[in-house]
Amino acid sequence: MNENTTTITKPRTKTVPKMARPPLHKVILLNDDYTPRDFVVRVLKADFRMSEDQAHRVMITAHTRGSCVVAVFIKEIAETKATHATEAGRKLDYPLQFTTEPEE
Ligand code: TYC
């Protein structure tokens, strides 16, 4: 290859495939008549990293409307968190329940 030769190289572009985002699942807090409000707030803070304020609002929403969406995660995380939070209540014989459902 001498100085009169021009080499044309194709630009090398890497194609990054856009991955479909995994479907999200809601964690839902259900109201009941027995679990103390303070305990619900404590679980929301511990298991869902909420501030006192956020946790209190979510607890009151579930208390007055019957349920409240707490957070959304990929399915496995949503289920693990819901189970863990529900078990926290079970340990003290409270009927506190967290469920999950796919987000539309
Ligand atoms: N309703 C309960 C009470 O009056 C408090 C409560 C709030 C329980 C929200 C569950 O998801 C809940 N002690």
Side-chain angles (χ1 to χ4, degrees):
M1 202 191 291
N2 63 39
E3 54 283 358
N4 299 320
T5 312
T6 307
T7 307
I8 299 173
T9 53
K10 265 221 239 143
R12 286 173 177 273
T13 56
K14 272 222 179 89
T15 311
V16 182
K18 277 220 177 98
M19 291 305 189
R21 293 194 217 293
L24 296 175
H25 288 242
K26 300 182 273 195
V27 175
I28 300 163
L29 168 66
L30 303 181
N31 186 37
D32 67 71
D33 291 339
Y34 303 100
T35 308
R37 292 177 178 213
D38 283 358
F39 183 77
V40 179
V41 170
R42 201 175 332 141
V43 170
L44 289 170
K45 286 168 72 177
D47 284 18
F48 298 94
R49 302 159 136 255
M50 287 187 177
S51 66
E52 179 80 26
D53 226 56
Q54 287 175 307
H56 193 261
R57 274 199 292 268
V58 167
M59 180 278 293
I60 286 294
T61 302
H63 177 75
T64 55
R65 300 166 75 113
S67 67
C68 182
V69 175
V70 176
V72 291
F73 300 103
I74 60 166
K75 186 168 192 277
E76 197 197 328
I77 308 277
E79 285 172 354
T80 304
K81 293 231 178 220
T83 301
H84 189 268
T86 298
E87 273 168 7
R90 268 287 14 205
K91 283 181 189 150
L92 295 171
D93 277 343
Y94 296 138
L96 183 65
Q97 266 204 73
F98 290 80
T99 61
T100 65
E101 65 174 60
E103 207 185 38
E104 321 70 53

